[in-house]
Amino acid sequence: MTTTLAPPAPVISTFPATAVEICLRGELIEAIKAEALIRGISLPAAPAQIAKAIVPVDSLVAVSILCAVELVVGFELPESVVRAGGYTSVESALEHMLPRIEAQWNKRKGANP
């Protein structure tokens, strides 16, 4: 009797930039909405405008959001990808975090940046 093994899962060799950005942006926007609700800040309706709104994103909130991104990249991200003190908007968080997440990917996967 011959046992047939399933083929191994495909290895993602390039950084999944779009998937990471979509995940991170969505999680950050939800965090901004919650923060705005607590602080009584009104936000624009469109997600693109919410991302630009000046609403603080606490660094602890940003670190907790990394858990969702870890599901996309497939490994644990260090807290150091998040700036101490947080961010002033979703866009500022994305600009800071995305390159650092990609650097962690490259380090982990042995890719050249």
Side-chain angles (χ1 to χ4, degrees):
M1 180 170 177
T2 308
T3 324
T4 306
L5 297 174
V11 175
I12 301 172
S13 59
T14 58
F15 178 63
T18 302
V20 169
E21 182 175 355
I22 288 170
C23 176
L24 190 57
R25 181 180 299 273
E27 294 290 328
L28 286 166
I29 286 175
E30 289 306 311
I32 287 274
K33 286 179 179 178
E35 185 69 22
L37 184 63
I38 291 168
R39 293 178 178 233
I41 300 170
S42 64
L43 291 174
Q49 294 304 315
I50 292 172
K52 294 177 185 176
I54 304 299
V55 179
V57 179
D58 185 84
S59 58
L60 294 175
V61 171
V63 167
S64 70
I65 287 171
L66 290 179
C67 292
V69 178
E70 289 169 353
L71 295 173
V72 176
V73 297
F75 59 89
E76 187 173 335
L77 292 163
E79 293 178 8
S80 63
V81 301
V82 174
R83 179 174 44 226
Y87 305 96
T88 57
S89 68
V90 168
E91 287 297 327
S92 67
L94 288 169
E95 288 172 11
H96 182 263
M97 293 172 68
L98 282 172
R100 284 157 180 77
I101 294 169
E102 184 172 7
Q104 289 298 314
W105 170 276
N106 292 332
K107 181 179 175 183
R108 177 80 175 224
K109 303 293 184 177
N112 293 323

